């Protein structure tokens, strides 16, 4: 009997030792956009790949749609260690540093190829800023190009005066101001409600968000502007990161690279499809042309000059690097 108990204790002890040497880290990962959105789906694939590649040692659960933390709270929650990892719209933090808004300079990087090129120059500078904030950058994926949603036909900026406009960052609020509209910042998760209750009757975004929020229920026109491709990025709390084994850090960085490539390809593949869905659901989908286009380009020039003169030497370095390629 004693022998059996001894064998049993040896097994329990060895199980305990194995489980402590391969401790499972359970990470909650808040994301701001709906579960069916391609960023969120990409986040789930990233989490699955990390789980498989680390042999189950890092077990990430995605919480989409702002269900754990709302978009505007996610970065702070990671910085303060409330959650180890999460995804947020990069340009949502322009109030901390204009560098976060590099991808939202109108008419600077308007294609996926240019967006990648800009990211190549932006990423090292962003990593430095995030490092000082106690964060580690994993990957960034662009949204499809942005356009303007209205509940009527618009032919020039003169037609937009006084309209209530939903913005999602400082740049989009500035566009609204320059167009004579009244900006109000609303998370994508609350967009349908804002349109239904009249808090806003227009906004700027991709076909993706228009589709996710079924905005044809409230609005009638989408004008393709193709002026920038804002990015979402995934970050980890630095203290949590530094406690990981070097092996797991390398695995996560490798998976992050794949998630960036896969998410970007998916964004590009879906970009045209979203617009066909807006049209199929009754919206008028056209390119911003004529006077509207001319007005938007002039607003873009004002905003780009403002950004460059306020973003200092780091901003200049990124833009010069991008333009020199
Ligand atoms: N959708 C997000 C940000 C950019 C986009 O295409 C939103 O509207 O909040």
């Amino acid at each position: 009997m004693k022998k059996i108990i001894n064998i049993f204790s040896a097994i329990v002890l060895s199980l305990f030792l194995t489980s402590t040497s391969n401790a499972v880290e359970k990470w909650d990962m808040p994301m701001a956009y709906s579960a069916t959105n391609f960023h969120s789906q990409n986040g789930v694939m990233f989490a699955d790949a990390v789980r498989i590649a680390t042999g189950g040692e890092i077990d990430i659960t995605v919480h989409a749609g702002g269900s754990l933390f709302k978009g505007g709270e996610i970065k702070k929650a990671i910085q303060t260690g409330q959650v180890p990892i999460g995804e947020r719209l990069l340009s949502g933090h322009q109030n901390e540093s204009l560098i976060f808004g590099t991808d939202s300079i109108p008419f600077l990087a308007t294609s996926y190829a240019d967006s990648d090129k800009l990211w190549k120059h932006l990423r090292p500078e962003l990593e430095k800023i995030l490092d000082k904030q106690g964060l580690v950058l994993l990957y960034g994926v662009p949204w499809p190009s942005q356009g303007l949603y209205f509940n009527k036909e618009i032919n020039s900026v003169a037609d937009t005066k006084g309209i209530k406009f939903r913005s999602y960052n400082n740049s989009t609020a500035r566009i609204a101001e320059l167009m004579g509209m009244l900006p109000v910042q609303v998370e994508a998760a609350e967009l349908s409600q804002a349109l239904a209750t009249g808090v806003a009757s227009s906004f700027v975004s991709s076909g993706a968000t228009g589709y996710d929020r079924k905005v044809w229920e409230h609005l009638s026109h989408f004008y393709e502007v193709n002026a920038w491709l804002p990015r979402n990025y995934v970050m980890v709390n630095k203290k949590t990161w530094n406690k990981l084994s070097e092996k797991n850090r390398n695995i996560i960085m490798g998976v992050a690279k794949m998630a960036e490539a896969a998410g970007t390809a998916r964004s590009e593949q879906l970009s045209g499809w979203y617009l066909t869905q807006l049209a199929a659901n009754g919206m008028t989908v056209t390119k911003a042309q004529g006077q509207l286009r001319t007005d938007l380009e002039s607003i873009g020039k004002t905003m780009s000059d403002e950004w460059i003169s306020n973003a200092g030497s780091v901003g200049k370095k990124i833009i010069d690097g991008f333009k020199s390629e």
Side-chain angles (χ1 to χ4, degrees), residues 119-138:
W119 183 236
K120 202 176 93 190
H121 293 276
L122 167 59
R123 183 171 179 136
E125 301 305 327
L126 192 59
E127 279 172 353
K128 286 183 218 162
I129 297 173
L130 291 174
D131 181 69
K132 284 196 193 119
Q133 297 183 333
L135 295 164
V136 176
L137 174 62
L138 291 187

Side-chain angles (χ1 to χ4, degrees), residues 121 308 313-325:
H121 293 276
I308 287 165
S313 56
V314 174
K316 187 172 180 320
K317 187 173 158 200
I318 298 168
I319 304 302
D320 288 350
F322 167 74
K323 287 190 171 162
S324 71
E325 264 195 67

Side-chain angles (χ1 to χ4, degrees), residues 175-297:
I175 291 177
E177 269 169 26
L178 291 168
M179 291 176 82
M181 297 194 279
L182 310 167
V184 49
Q185 189 143 342
V186 176
E187 283 296 325
E190 274 102 48
L191 177 59
S192 309
Q193 201 187 343
L195 296 172
T197 55
V199 167
S201 60
S202 70
F203 67 101
V204 66
S205 194
S206 57
T209 294
Y211 173 79
D212 289 343
R213 307 310 338 165
K214 295 189 170 59
V215 299
W216 49 81
E217 290 174 0
H218 310 286
L219 304 180
S220 54
H221 286 69
F222 178 77
Y223 293 93
E224 293 173 57
V225 184
N226 291 343
W228 71 98
L229 284 77
R231 227 165 245 268
N232 281 1
Y233 70 125
V234 171
M235 65 204 115
V236 184
N237 176 287
K238 195 167 122 184
K239 280 194 192 133
T240 309
W241 181 253
N242 288 340
K243 281 190 212 140
L244 296 178
S245 66
E246 195 184 345
K247 181 171 152 246
N248 281 344
R249 285 201 297 261
N250 288 338
I251 289 173
I252 296 173
M253 273 301 173
V255 173
K257 250 191 177 88
M258 288 196 284
E260 183 168 301
T264 304
R266 191 77 185 126
S267 175
E268 188 166 9
Q269 275 165 8
L270 286 171
S271 55
W273 181 83
Y274 284 126
L275 302 187
T276 63
Q277 292 307 300
L278 298 181
N281 283 285
M283 294 192 79
T284 304
V285 177
T286 49
K287 292 199 183 337
Q289 284 167 331
Q291 192 57 44
L292 180 58
R293 177 89 195 169
T294 310
D295 291 347
L296 291 172
E297 280 176 5

